[in-house]
Amino acid sequence: MSRHGDIGSSPDTVGTCVFQYKMPRLHNLKEVNENIDRICELVKGTKLGLPGMDLIIFPEYSTHGIMYDKEECMATAVKIPGPETDKLAKACKDNKVWGVFSITGEQHEEHPRKQPYNTLILIDDQGEIVQKYRKILPWCPIEGWYPGNSTFVTEGPKGLKISLIICDDGNYPEIWRDCTMKGAELVIRCQGYMSRTHPSRLPPALLIAPRPHLPL
């Protein structure tokens, strides 16, 4: 933050907001879409108040909420792209900002025979989904997500190379290593779980800027 309350940004610096969003408990698609509308308004308001913001990041489970009920989980799973992500894309385009959003869940290709994915999307300031990452290591046995199988690197705002990972993925060094070996300069780890007893007390999103030019 700079002294006047804006987010510092320059031609070679990415102004970033990690939004502390309370994890909701939602039960149907109507409630999910109402929550998405609130998130879109927050994107608008945050950009208005912090015009130096280039990138806004929301935590895991912030869009659909935590789904403890299997039937509700399957009923609220959506396609990417779809009407729900279209709203988020429009918010990014209208406010000229990049965004990271959680989709829990994304319909499996064999929906409803298989469980949904736990997915993060990176949307650019033109409203295009430029990265879709599916959680590789769901937190078993609590989470019932279908696992993804790959990390990705995308050129983000001002050329910054970005990888997305989710929560428990970050407990395994192989995931970080895979991102950095592919050229990531920033690894964004979004999560919805904060342990009151674990010494790390991790925040809803953890930004790690590796130095890929050094020997691994």
Side-chain angles (χ1 to χ4, degrees):
M1 283 289 193
S2 59
R3 293 181 182 177
H4 55 79
D6 192 10
I7 289 180
S9 181
S10 68
D12 61 352
T13 302
V14 176
T16 304
C17 170
V18 179
F19 204 100
Q20 306 282 333
Y21 193 80
K22 182 179 179 180
M23 184 191 304
R25 178 70 180 98
L26 308 174
H27 302 276
N28 52 59
L29 269 179
K30 179 178 182 293
E31 293 179 355
V32 170
N33 274 281
E34 289 172 350
N35 186 52
I36 291 173
D37 292 340
R38 284 192 289 271
I39 291 173
C40 291
E41 284 300 308
L42 287 171
V43 172
K44 178 181 178 181
T46 306
K47 180 65 175 181
L48 181 65
L50 303 170
M53 180 178 72
D54 301 305
L55 171 66
I56 187 168
I57 301 165
F58 285 86
E60 181 190 25
Y61 291 114
S62 53
T63 306
H64 282 70
I66 187 76
M67 290 291 175
Y68 293 110
D69 183 281
K70 182 176 180 179
E71 290 185 3
E72 290 179 356
C73 181
M74 299 300 285
T76 57
V78 300
K79 294 182 178 180
I80 301 175
E84 292 76 20
T85 61
D86 286 348
K87 291 184 179 182
L88 299 170
K90 184 177 186 300
C92 288
K93 183 176 182 180
D94 289 350
N95 296 286
K96 298 295 185 284
V97 66
W98 292 62
V100 175
F101 304 97
S102 169
I103 303 295
T104 50
E106 177 198 359
Q107 287 186 10
H108 191 278
E109 292 83 355
E110 298 181 33
H111 182 82
R113 195 171 73 84
K114 292 187 177 181
Q115 289 290 109
Y117 298 103
N118 181 341
T119 303
L120 284 180
I121 54 173
L122 173 64
I123 300 177
D124 69 14
D125 57 0
Q126 299 302 307
E128 298 294 328
I129 298 174
V130 294
Q131 185 174 146
K132 180 175 74 171
Y133 171 77
R134 294 164 169 171
K135 189 174 187 177
I136 293 175
L137 294 161
W139 187 35
C140 296
I142 306 301
E143 296 180 329
W145 307 115
Y146 198 91
N149 59 15
S150 182
T151 63
F152 305 93
V153 177
T154 302
E155 188 170 299
K158 300 174 183 175
L160 181 66
K161 294 181 175 62
I162 296 174
S163 284
L164 306 176
I165 66 174
I166 303 173
C167 200
D168 198 38
D169 291 331
N171 291 327
Y172 303 89
E174 293 82 3
I175 302 293
W176 300 97
R177 186 179 302 122
D178 195 55
C179 295
T180 57
M181 290 183 71
K182 290 177 178 177
E185 297 170 323
L186 178 68
V187 181
I188 300 174
R189 177 193 187 187
C190 294
Q191 53 201 28
Y193 172 71
M194 290 182 69
S195 170
R196 298 181 63 185
T197 57
H198 194 280
S200 65
R201 299 285 304 269
L202 295 172
L206 183 65
L207 309 182
I208 302 294
R211 301 176 67 187
H213 61 283
L214 296 179
L216 294 174

